[in-house]
Amino acid sequence: MWTQKEIQAQLAMINGQASPDIVIQNATYLHSIFKTWCTGHIWIHNERIVYTGEALPEKMYGTEVIDASGKKIVPGYIEPHVHPFQLYNPLTFAQYAGALGTTTFISDNLTFFMGHDNETIFTLLDQLKKQPFHYYWWARMDSQTALQDEEAQFNPQDIMPWLLHEDVLLAGELTGWPRLLKGDPNMFATVQAAKEARKKIEGHLPGASEKTLARMKLLGVDGDHESMTAEEVKRRLLHGYAVTLRHSSIRPDLPNILKELVEEGLDVFDHLMMTTDGSTPSFHLDGVMDKCIQAALDAGVEPIDAYLMASYNVARYYDMDDYHGVIATGRYATLNFLEDELNPVPTDVLAKGVWLKKEGVTQDVFEPIDWSVLRPFNPTFELYEEDFIVDHALGIEMVNDVITKPYEITIDTTVERLSDDHDESFIMLLNREGNWRVNTLIKGFATHVEGFASSYSNTGDMILIGKDRNAMNQAFEVLKELGGGMVLIEKGQPIVTLPLPISGGLSTERVEDLIEQEIVLKTALKDRGYHHTDAVYTFLFLQSTHLPYIRITPIGLYDVMKNKVLVPVTER
């Protein structure tokens, strides 16, 4: 919102009494409401467009004049469903994405919400808000795992300040929707509070039947991003859902869905959005929302529809098209300049009136963020021989990167080292304060990883995996010295380390450098028998109870379908 003084300064430019900061002349720009290319001039003062049309300012003293002849200008891209905690942090991800034209983010708050008080985190949100990009937020209603104190952490009283925050646009994503369906009073009260605060409710409904979709719509869910086929898209649209199509490292469904919709001649693109859904760093080697737009273009979607799916459609759905998604008077000066409409990678990027990229060169315009307010990763305890004991026969078998099922352990688990002749390994979930642990075997992770440790997980607790108990302990010790991250041990030495010094879960490196680190780690794991797609997602989702069938959680080994603890946590 702009102050009266700021608006008076803007009016002075229209009245010929003052000069804009930037004038973009001879602009061919996408008008989101007319759905056509317009020509004219764009005046900008500070972070706001003060005029679009055929006139030029009467005064242009000190004005930066940009001749946009030969370029196409589109609204800045909006990522409507981002998890900016996938090794990268919100600042580094925005820096990387911004140079590629994605300058507005509607972001998960789970990492911030868990383990931190609201007032502290809101200071971080304020820091991010001062940067030349736009962050908006979700308000999570469940942990997507099974916590020992779920109701204490996720209750209407603590969630309400988020719902009332001006930069929070939605409640969700609702991974714990079965609880809502069963009448959980806390979750129902939070959904009702979100509705009263006029926030959207984002579901998480993979494979949902028609009746489940109807039930969840009646309970208040507005949108969903879990469609895996064109039929599932149509089913959601039929029930009035807002549909976000996903193109991520573990669910790259977008190209096929769009191709099917085009082939069927369904003119529904005004009602669709797109997301990369918190993909791991290396997936973004070839883009962020520009990657989604390119996939749409390749699938045969008309260019204007493709660009609006990544801008205006999102802004309109979240009731922020007064500020975003339209190149028109009064909106944020957040624009992408393209060589042509078939190449969504911009040559120039303007966000809040600041050049993030100019004539193909990325600009250094960001201020550092004080991450020290987040809970530190500094475990001071040690592990002992008894901490590695597996005293039951229930193991976890990986079906793919993120789906796991139970299996019966038949090998000897009392040995110090398991054989490399099979794909079973020790696994431990270890509380970051050292208060508890959960031990079992994991089948299908790798064949000869000696010792691995990660402080990157859904809850921020530690995951230890390996064939060799001593190597796992060594990995844990190196992880402590590192201050958080991922460590792979072999023959007594750390052969790969990926530091995550921000609260044990986030890197401070540029995304470009983090991609290289991630590829090194994934290659090393693949060389040692990891044969799935994305190991980083595996570490994140081992605890996640929104996926079947068995999970290793802070309350023990957990049967998702039966909502039951199969092996309880071991206190230390």
Side-chain angles (χ1 to χ4, degrees), residues 126-157:
D126 290 341
Q127 289 185 63
L128 287 164
K129 193 170 183 175
K130 294 175 182 177
Q131 303 281 353
F133 47 69
H134 310 267
Y135 259 106
Y136 297 96
W137 299 93
W138 318 349
R140 282 279 196 154
M141 294 181 283
D142 64 278
S143 66
Q144 79 178 37
T145 187
L147 298 176
Q148 296 179 4
D149 58 350
E150 177 89 15
E151 290 189 5
Q153 287 201 49
F154 289 83
N155 60 77
Q157 293 73 31

Side-chain angles (χ1 to χ4, degrees), residues 21-39:
D21 295 323
I22 301 172
V23 170
I24 302 167
Q25 293 184 344
N26 307 314
T28 300
Y29 61 95
L30 176 58
H31 197 286
S32 304
I33 298 170
F34 288 124
K35 292 186 68 173
T36 190
W37 298 99
C38 294
T39 57

Side-chain angles (χ1 to χ4, degrees), residues 218-231:
L218 292 173
L219 284 164
V221 175
D222 298 297
D224 185 67
H225 57 283
E226 291 291 329
S227 298
M228 293 177 273
T229 66
E231 284 302 314

Side-chain angles (χ1 to χ4, degrees), residues 198-471:
R198 304 189 65 81
K199 308 298 183 182
K200 303 293 187 183
I201 309 290
E202 179 69 10
H204 187 280
L205 307 169
S209 68
E210 185 180 23
K211 286 190 175 180
T212 295
L213 290 172
R215 293 181 186 108
M216 297 312 297
K217 200 75 178 73
L218 292 173
L219 284 164
V221 175
D222 298 297
D224 185 67
H225 57 283
E226 291 291 329
S227 298
M228 293 177 273
T229 66
E231 284 302 314
E232 291 187 349
V233 171
K234 290 188 287 184
R235 192 182 303 155
R236 284 158 173 75
L237 290 173
L238 182 67
H239 285 280
Y241 281 81
V243 177
T244 304
L245 305 179
R246 179 175 47 190
H247 193 35
S248 73
S249 49
I250 57 171
R251 292 294 330 175
D253 301 310
L254 176 71
N256 289 336
I257 289 175
L258 289 176
K259 186 177 179 182
E260 289 180 45
L261 294 177
V262 170
E263 289 173 351
E264 291 188 41
L266 292 175
D267 187 15
V268 295
F269 300 107
D270 281 352
H271 304 281
L272 300 178
M273 298 169 275
M274 301 184 288
T275 180
T276 59
D277 196 12
S279 292
T280 49
S282 56
F283 181 79
H284 293 296
L285 242 149
D286 52 351
V288 187
M289 292 309 296
D290 57 305
K291 181 174 183 170
C292 293
I293 296 168
Q294 189 64 61
L297 295 171
D298 293 343
V301 176
E302 290 295 323
I304 288 176
D305 284 326
Y307 286 102
L308 296 186
M309 287 165 67
S311 56
Y312 179 62
N313 293 4
V314 184
R316 185 184 60 203
Y317 173 63
Y318 284 107
D319 299 320
M320 57 178 188
D321 49 327
D322 281 352
Y323 301 100
H324 298 280
V326 186
I327 300 175
T329 301
R331 273 66 173 192
Y332 278 114
T334 299
L335 314 171
N336 292 335
F337 296 67
L338 311 177
E339 289 182 338
D340 64 72
E341 63 193 79
L342 298 181
N343 181 6
V345 180
T347 58
D348 305 80
V349 177
L350 195 67
K352 291 183 178 177
V354 177
W355 293 106
L356 304 190
K357 188 180 187 181
K358 196 169 185 183
E359 297 179 355
V361 179
T362 302
Q363 307 297 301
D364 184 11
V365 292
F366 300 94
E367 296 296 325
I369 297 290
D370 179 13
W371 299 111
S372 65
V373 298
L374 297 180
R375 58 177 177 166
F377 178 81
N378 56 355
T380 57
F381 61 93
E382 296 181 352
L383 294 178
Y384 303 98
E385 189 173 332
E386 59 267 26
D387 287 316
F388 294 88
I389 293 173
V390 178
D391 57 1
H392 57 86
L394 180 64
I396 299 173
E397 182 175 356
M398 293 181 63
V399 177
N400 59 28
D401 308 63
V402 298
I403 305 296
T404 54
K405 65 181 182 181
Y407 83 101
E408 183 180 0
I409 299 170
T410 58
I411 63 173
D412 183 5
T413 61
T414 64
V415 295
E416 289 294 315
R417 181 187 174 99
L418 299 174
S419 169
D420 290 345
D421 295 336
H422 56 73
D423 63 352
E424 294 173 74
S425 304
F426 295 114
I427 181 170
M428 180 195 305
L429 178 66
L430 179 63
N431 172 241
R432 65 193 284 156
E433 282 80 34
N435 299 327
W436 51 261
R437 59 179 172 82
V438 184
N439 300 72
T440 187
L441 297 191
I442 185 167
K443 179 177 174 62
F445 175 77
T447 52
H448 49 289
V449 168
E450 289 185 15
F452 177 85
S454 173
S455 56
Y456 172 82
S457 70
N458 184 63
T459 60
D461 297 307
M462 290 168 281
I463 298 170
L464 277 57
I465 300 177
K467 293 283 189 175
D468 188 301
R469 293 179 175 183
N470 288 327

